[in-house]
Amino acid sequence: MSRQEQTHMAVLGALSVEPMSGYALREAIRDVLGHFWNESFGQIYPALTSLEEQGFVARQPGARSGSSVFTLTPSGRERLHALLSQPIQTAPPRNGLLLRLFFGRVLGAAACRKLVTAARDEAAGHLAAYAKIRETTIAEGGVDPYMGLTLSFGEHISRAVLAWADEALATLSPLPDEPGV
């Protein structure tokens, strides 16, 4: 699946939840899908234009002068289903933290501990954010089971990173602080 098709899938999927402006769409993708998916304004607006030209979304005047709200059309719902039904293509992993740790003897244990501690802090922050999302959605009537699956995935990954970071810090603890190329 091309990058453009993946962007279309994210945009159509977000619009399947509710109609929204391009800005609100970007915010929803960042805030709701952000723990597993990212799109920029530079990707969203061209996608909206393309999807509108293809008849998959319709533009309506927004509440503010000059603003637009986009809605999913019936053919857009069909296109979303077709995109979601395609086989998943995984991208090769690129993890800057693991690359640095793999060559950690060049950095030294002290620098590696800082990197791992930062990753641990980030995972703890994600876990707290997921707890807030879960709390908010429960207060608003419950977690949609399909969306809940992605929230649960993020929680499990964060807990795994926390456990790994604790193990990594214990491994790095007795090593010399300075690089030993």
Side-chain angles (χ1 to χ4, degrees), residues 53-168:
E53 289 170 355
Q54 295 173 65
F56 297 140
V57 300
R59 182 189 306 246
Q60 302 166 343
R64 290 188 356 242
S65 176
S67 69
S68 299
V69 172
F70 296 88
T71 59
L72 192 62
T73 64
S75 64
R77 187 166 297 280
E78 289 175 16
R79 178 64 178 150
L80 174 59
H81 185 272
L83 289 169
L84 291 170
S85 298
Q86 290 183 17
I88 297 169
Q89 293 178 332
T90 56
R94 293 179 61 93
N95 186 316
L97 170 62
L98 295 181
L99 182 63
R100 284 164 178 79
L101 291 176
F102 188 83
F103 298 110
R105 72 178 54 83
V106 175
L107 285 174
C112 289
R113 282 192 295 273
K114 286 181 184 178
L115 292 170
V116 171
T117 299
R120 189 186 195 297
D121 292 347
E122 182 179 21
H126 288 160
L127 196 55
Y130 300 145
K132 187 171 183 168
I133 291 168
R134 188 172 292 284
E135 179 183 306
T136 301
T137 55
I138 289 171
E140 293 174 353
V143 177
D144 173 281
Y146 297 104
M147 293 178 184
L149 291 171
T150 63
L151 182 58
S152 176
F153 179 85
E155 291 167 333
H156 282 280
I157 293 296
S158 295
R159 286 187 200 105
V161 170
L162 289 170
W164 167 83
D166 289 341
E167 180 183 310

Side-chain angles (χ1 to χ4, degrees), residues 32-56:
V32 179
L33 305 180
H35 64 278
F36 63 90
W37 196 261
N38 182 26
E39 297 290 344
S40 70
F41 278 123
Q43 295 164 313
I44 291 171
Y45 286 105
L48 283 169
T49 299
S50 173
L51 292 167
E52 182 181 24
E53 289 170 355
Q54 295 173 65
F56 297 140

